[in-house]
């Protein structure tokens, strides 16, 4: 697990801000204009964060998460970070996927920066965000990847016939 992955949105925003400020100063743009540009850029990145962050975890305890995995229904598990650009980019596709799943799957969306998320990522071998895991109805892991599963893989998960990529 790397800091660059977990906090990629924040690092990208800060890096962009520093580069823009350096270029403006190098081009001898007035301090007032430079500061206004920095403020506007900071507001744009803050607005982007507020608009696209993934949000809070679905469960509040490790026991609640484990009770859903293997309860007789397949489970879709998403590990994410609210500060990860990839997680933010995947959000619309994952939301659409979750809606399409309906009641066929248990849905667990876990923020890896919470106490519960830290414990669950250790239990389930989290590596890189976002990370998606499909569990069979009996709780056995069927599939794992850093991009959302396709409709075919979801279909296969309901019949335990999936093969990992």
């Amino acid at each position: 697990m790397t800091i660059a992955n977990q906090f990629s949105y924040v690092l990208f925003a800060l890096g962009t801000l520093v580069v823009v400020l350096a270029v403006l100063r190098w081009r001898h743009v007035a301090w007032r204009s430079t500061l206004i540009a920095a403020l506007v850029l900071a507001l744009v990145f803050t607005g982007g964060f507020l608009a696209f962050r993934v949000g809070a975890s679905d469960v509040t305890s490790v026991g609640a998460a484990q009770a859903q995995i293997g309860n007789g229904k397949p489970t879709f598990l998403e590990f994410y970070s609210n500060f990860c650009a990839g997680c933010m980019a995947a959000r619309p596709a994952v939301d659409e996927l979750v809606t399409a799943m309906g009641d066929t799957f248990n849905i667990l969306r876990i923020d890896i920066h919470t106490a519960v998320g830290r414990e669950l990522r250790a239990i389930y071998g989290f590596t890189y965000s976002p990370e998606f895991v499909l569990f069979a109805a009996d709780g056995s892991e069927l599939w794992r990847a850093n991009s959302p599963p396709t409709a075919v893989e979801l279909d296969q998960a309901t019949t335990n016939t999936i093969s990992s990529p």
Side-chain angles (χ1 to χ4, degrees), residues 54-85:
V54 181
S57 292
D58 290 343
V59 293
T60 56
S61 73
V62 172
Q66 290 181 316
Q68 289 191 42
I69 297 172
N71 70 352
K73 193 177 191 182
T75 302
F76 170 79
L77 172 64
E78 174 192 15
F79 285 111
Y80 68 87
S81 166
N82 274 316
F83 309 104
C84 164

Side-chain angles (χ1 to χ4, degrees), residues 27-52:
R27 306 258 313 148
H28 303 292
V29 173
W31 271 108
R32 181 181 171 153
S33 297
T34 301
L35 291 176
I36 290 171
L39 179 63
V40 168
L41 197 55
L43 288 172
V44 166
F45 279 117
T46 301
F49 172 74
L50 294 174
F52 299 112

Side-chain angles (χ1 to χ4, degrees), residues 72-76 100-106 134-138 140 142-143 150-162:
K73 193 177 191 182
T75 302
F76 170 79
M101 287 180 196
D103 290 334
T104 309
F105 284 80
N106 294 314
L134 291 176
F135 293 94
D138 66 1
S140 59
L142 297 172
W143 178 90
T150 64
V152 171
E153 290 162 336
L154 289 173
D155 238 12
Q156 292 171 338
T158 60
T159 61
N160 289 347
T161 60
I162 198 167

Side-chain angles (χ1 to χ4, degrees), residues 40 95 114 124 132:
V40 168
D95 286 346
T114 63
Y124 293 107
F132 304 94

